[in-house]
Amino acid sequence: MESMAVGETAKILTIVGARPQFIKAAAVSRAFEKWNAANGPSRTFHDILVHTGQHYDDNMSRVFFEELHIPEPAYHLGVGSDTHGRQTAKMLAAIEEVLEIERPHLVLVYGDTNSTLAGALAAVKRHIPVAHVEAGLRSFNRRMPEEINRIVADELSQILFCPTVTAVDNLRQEGIEGEGSGTAVSCDIFSGRWVVLSGDVMADSLLYNGQLAEQRSQILERLGVGPKTVTEASRRYVLVTVHRAENADAPHRMEQILEALRAVAERGFAVVFPMHPRTLKNVHACTSCAHLLARCRKAGLIVCEPLSYLDMIRLERNALAILTDSGGVQKEAFLLGVPCLTLRDETEWVETVQLGWNVLVGADPMALVRRFEQVLAWNGVGAPFAGPEVSPSVDPQPYGDGRAAEIIVGFLADLFFT
Ligand code: UD1
Ligand code: UDP
């Protein structure tokens, strides 16, 4: 493909489908609009949004479009839930049809879900270049479906937007190196490959919406864990999210996690658990888990539906600690300075651990309770709660300064319009 002539529109097909992708795409879509407002109409990005339908409940999808003012998708593929193979196959077929109609200049995919994999694969098969936002992350655990999705999406991508230096290094280890680290030259996109350290678009979203969440969200008041409404003790709540297959689909690990939550609740702390539909379904399908959940509730665990983004980040900011297996939530805990105990055996966001704000506890209740004691002993000022692991060589601001989306759009503008 030639560099675009002035007056042309760069057609970008953005593929999303799962909750964190709506949050990531919101930042980039805002940056496209900003670029168009400053540079159009002679040079314009036309961002065509495709929603695969991987997530479809209102509180897993619609709420993010409304709250974050994401434009209505031009295509909603309505794929829904299924096994990995069938879900990905349905997405591939449906995305292929959209590509045939739209013939975009570039397909933009985010993160590591089945929607990411299908978008990248459908595009390259039709000789359309792919840009991957959140490239280069690795857990080095190939039993994770997301790890496979990331590896394949990176391999297929022409432009790799990395959130961290670690991600750039991971790609280098796999022999994926860009031609230039930042600036693009106008050329046939298929003749080049670029690895770009952009920073993390989820950090952009958090910075952009943090203040808004404090002003608009009523979640603390609604759940009765807010500082203004209740006693000093109940303000000390712990926030929990669980949705990874390795936990949610493994009754033994879920039992262990629930045991740990019961121990925390029985120490007098409110535990707020916005439950992902996968986890809700599986907990109720497992008799011992359902029984344990009932005991947790008696001890002070509050289960609620998945939350809107503004509610979630207000809850995160004000929590005593966060227990999670989510990638996005680990990072948000770090950026908000809230201690995080990660319910996994590895993480892609290694900087959060290296800098002492995150500890991997797996599903071991003993490890979790021991680390929770460490959080309680922490004075919350200055140093991170898990101090000794801090490495002076790690950038204290590893996820960028809130301009990742601008860097991404600026890079694409250089590529298409110079
Ligand atoms: C997916 C991603 C994961 C990401 C997560 C974000 C893959 C392989 N996994 O995991 O990387 O971290 O999204 O949340 O793509 N369900 C509903 N309603 C919905 C969506 C899901 O009830 O709106 C239930 C269904 O029973 C479904 C299950 O949740 O089978 C799992 O959904 P799925 O999208 O397959 O995986 P997630 O666990 O959400
Ligand atoms: N999130 C949300 N509501 C919730 C749980 C999570 O808005 O009830 C947000 C969270 O703040 C973060 C993103 O969703 O921005 C993380 O998504 P998720 O945990 O589903 O996926 P992961 O990041 O692990 O891929």
Side-chain angles (χ1 to χ4, degrees):
M1 196 185 81
E2 296 297 319
S3 130
M4 305 205 65
V6 173
E8 277 190 76
T9 297
K11 242 185 177 190
I12 311 288
L13 198 88
T14 295
I15 297 185
V16 294
R19 172 167 69 187
Q21 292 169 325
F22 310 139
I23 296 163
K24 292 165 198 177
V28 177
S29 141
R30 212 172 38 247
F32 276 133
E33 278 172 23
K34 197 171 157 191
W35 198 94
N36 285 345
N39 299 279
S42 56
R43 297 165 170 200
T44 315
F45 284 107
H46 180 30
D47 180 24
I48 303 164
L49 194 60
V50 178
H51 186 328
T52 63
Q54 177 170 351
H55 286 174
Y56 44 86
D57 291 347
D58 279 356
N59 56 24
M60 294 294 287
S61 173
R62 190 180 55 76
V63 68
F64 297 97
F65 283 79
E66 289 178 0
E67 194 169 69
L68 302 176
H69 306 290
I70 306 169
E72 198 50 35
Y75 295 86
H76 199 303
L77 309 181
V79 162
S81 305
D82 213 323
T83 61
H84 286 277
R86 281 198 298 256
Q87 185 184 55
T88 311
K90 285 186 218 166
M91 288 177 190
L92 265 175
I95 293 169
E96 193 172 57
E97 283 181 26
V98 177
L99 294 174
E100 182 56 31
I101 297 165
E102 294 291 348
R103 298 176 180 271
H105 297 109
L106 182 83
V107 165
L108 197 55
V109 296
Y110 292 86
D112 54 17
T113 73
N114 289 346
S115 300
T116 318
L117 172 67
L121 193 51
V124 292
K125 292 271 185 163
R126 296 204 69 85
H127 302 172
I128 298 166
V130 176
H132 184 200
V133 175
E134 215 178 74
L137 293 180
R138 296 291 181 266
S139 64
F140 302 101
N141 173 2
R142 288 202 176 204
R143 291 182 62 83
M144 263 185 101
E146 291 85 357
E147 183 76 350
I148 306 302
N149 292 345
R150 290 177 197 126
I151 290 170
V152 178
D154 285 343
E155 188 53 45
L156 300 179
S157 293
Q158 223 70 32
I159 308 171
L160 299 105
F161 292 115
C162 296
T164 59
V165 172
T166 311
V168 174
D169 289 344
N170 288 340
L171 291 177
R172 192 173 300 126
Q173 296 285 331
E174 292 174 18
I176 302 178
E177 295 197 55
E179 291 183 339
S181 60
T183 46
V185 283
S186 57
C187 66
D188 172 355
I189 293 185
F190 269 118
S191 75
R193 198 170 201 197
W194 295 272
V195 173
V196 182
L197 178 60
S198 58
D200 179 39
V201 291
M202 279 197 115
D204 294 14
S205 270
L206 184 65
L207 284 170
Y208 185 82
N209 291 291
Q211 190 76 23
L212 215 58
E214 289 301 316
Q215 289 160 2
R216 299 215 182 136
S217 165
Q218 293 296 309
I219 191 66
L220 302 183
E221 295 75 7
R222 225 170 73 210
L223 296 177
V225 294
K228 292 197 193 94
T229 55
V230 284
T231 62
E232 177 66 23
S234 63
R235 139 182 3 169
R236 292 158 63 78
Y237 64 89
V238 171
L239 175 63
V240 185
T241 81
V242 176
H243 75 275
R244 292 275 157 217
E246 72 200 56
N247 288 326
D249 294 3
H252 178 59
R253 277 181 79 101
M254 264 327 287
E255 282 167 13
Q256 287 188 301
I257 290 170
L258 289 167
E259 281 293 2
L261 298 186
R262 184 161 66 98
V264 171
E266 282 177 350
R267 295 225 20 207
F269 298 96
V271 179
V272 180
F273 193 165
M275 211 178 263
H276 188 288
R278 175 197 281 267
T279 314
L280 186 71
K281 189 177 73 178
N282 289 348
V283 164
H284 287 300
C286 155
T287 312
S288 58
C289 293
H291 182 66
L292 266 169
L293 184 67
R295 289 179 70 185
C296 286
R297 280 180 140 141
K298 267 194 198 139
L301 178 100
I302 302 166
V303 176
C304 60
E305 296 209 330
L307 297 170
S308 82
Y309 182 61
L310 294 186
D311 281 348
M312 186 64 182
I313 59 182
R314 182 156 187 241
L315 258 185
E316 287 174 353
R317 184 191 296 279
N318 291 283
L320 172 67
I322 295 177
L323 278 45
T324 190
D325 61 9
S326 156
V329 175
Q330 283 173 65
K331 229 175 343 170
E332 286 162 356
F334 167 80
L335 292 166
L336 294 168
V338 177
C340 184
L341 306 182
T342 291
L343 306 165
R344 290 181 51 196
D345 302 323
E346 70 280 313
T347 180
E348 303 76 28
W349 302 102
V350 290
E351 307 79 12
T352 59
V353 175
Q354 291 162 341
L355 289 162
W357 287 97
N358 187 10
V359 172
L360 303 175
V361 293
D364 176 1
M366 302 278 278
L368 192 144
V369 169
R370 189 161 43 80
R371 290 300 192 161
F372 184 63
E373 295 293 341
Q374 194 177 354
V375 174
L376 295 179
W378 173 66
N379 70 12
V381 186
F385 83 102
E389 289 185 54
V390 176
S391 153
S393 63
V394 179
D395 177 356
Q397 205 181 337
Y399 304 119
D401 59 3
R403 292 185 314 111
E406 256 177 60
I407 292 170
I408 288 168
V409 171
F411 182 88
L412 294 177
D414 283 353
L415 195 61
F416 281 109
F417 300 126
T418 44

